[in-house]
Amino acid sequence: MTNTPLLLAGIGVLAVGTFSMRFAGPALRSRVEVPERAQKLLAAAAIVLLTALVATAALTASHGPAGIARPAGVLVGGVLAWRKVPFVLIVVGAAATAAVLRLLGVP
């Protein structure tokens, strides 16, 4: 995209929208009552969205499958997170798993 004013306008609109959404939560918290069922549904929706994001990032590369090394690293990271290992060790464990598998020639 070479239209700089349009790009800057888009960034500005997104910035104002983001700020408005972040401001609306605390400002409307005492005025709007969200039903218990809607709160549970939103919590489940967030989990589903994050799971879909992880699956997409872990299983695809460009326009095809990611191979075996990346999903294996994500799986190791997920297991370490489930076991409540410190975040740094989760990242190192996942990266090391993928690196070792790639070093061994696994795609």
Side-chain angles (χ1 to χ4, degrees):
M1 176 183 255
T2 58
N3 193 349
T4 304
L6 183 62
L7 182 63
L8 291 175
I11 291 171
V13 167
L14 290 173
V16 168
T18 300
F19 178 77
S20 299
M21 293 294 285
R22 293 186 64 106
F23 179 75
L28 298 176
R29 181 107 176 131
S30 62
R31 296 180 186 174
V32 177
E33 182 69 30
V34 179
E36 183 70 28
R37 184 160 190 242
Q39 289 179 2
K40 288 181 181 180
L41 183 63
L42 289 172
I47 292 169
V48 169
L49 181 63
L50 289 174
T51 302
L53 178 65
V54 168
T56 303
L59 300 175
T60 61
S62 296
H63 297 289
I68 301 297
R70 185 187 301 173
V74 171
L75 179 65
V76 168
V79 169
L80 291 175
W82 177 58
R83 302 288 299 167
K84 296 188 177 162
V85 174
F87 182 70
V88 172
L89 295 178
I90 293 171
V91 172
V92 169
T97 301
V100 167
L101 287 174
R102 287 185 178 147
L103 185 65
L104 294 173
V106 176

